[in-house]
């Protein structure tokens, strides 16, 4: 099996579910959930999850590792950040994201459910202000 095939292969010991076309595999490790999320090519928050979740923006933080693919994230303040595997990611609440390109994006994420922002000491919302070079002005 090729390395990328292994990254998408079924995993033992996880709870698997699908939401808005995103495959989510979850396992608990103490107080932390470890998740593998497979976002398909063409995925975008506004198209696939916004109506399901009932929010214009994702209000969760994401801390982990982009293992495959590319993603573009736009924050409520207009800042746009792009990520390309392999890359560590830290995304504050208040964002919309999507997959860039033809391959799925695979994110390995660590979360503390509703307490992630506090436990990993992230800002509660993205605050790039004028420092974001890609901000829409």
């Amino acid at each position: 099996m090729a390395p990328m095939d292994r990254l998408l292969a079924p995993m033992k010991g996880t709870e698997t579910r699908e939401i808005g076309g995103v495959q989510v595999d979850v396992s608990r490790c103490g107080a932390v959930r470890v998740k593998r999320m497979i976002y398909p090519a063409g995925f975008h928050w506004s198209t696939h999850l916004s109506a399901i979740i009932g929010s214009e923006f994702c209000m969760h933080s994401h801390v982990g590792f982009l293992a495959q693919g590319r993603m573009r994230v736009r924050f409520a303040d207009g800042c746009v950040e792009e990520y390309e595997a392999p890359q560590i990611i830290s995304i504050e609440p208040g964002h919309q994201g999507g997959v860039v390109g033809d391959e799925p994006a695979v994110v390995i994420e660590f979360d503390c459910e509703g307490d992630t922002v506090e436990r990993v000491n992230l800002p509660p919302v993205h605050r790039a202000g004028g420092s974001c070079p890609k901000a829409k002005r």
Side-chain angles (χ1 to χ4, degrees), residues 8-24:
L8 301 174
M11 292 193 315
K12 294 179 185 175
T14 62
E15 173 190 324
T16 300
R17 63 181 179 265
E18 181 272 331
I19 181 166
V22 179
Q23 178 181 322
V24 181

Side-chain angles (χ1 to χ4, degrees), residues 60-66 71 73 75 79-84 87-95 107-110 116-117 119-127:
H60 292 280
S61 58
H62 303 281
V63 175
F65 176 69
L66 178 61
M71 298 188 85
V73 176
F75 293 91
C79 185
V80 176
E81 294 185 12
E82 294 194 15
Y83 305 95
E84 184 172 356
Q87 186 172 0
I88 302 296
I89 60 171
S90 176
I91 302 170
E92 298 94 345
H95 61 274
V107 175
I108 310 302
E109 180 176 300
F110 305 90
T116 304
V117 167
R119 288 199 179 180
V120 299
N121 199 27
L122 286 176
V125 295
H126 188 265
R127 291 196 178 106

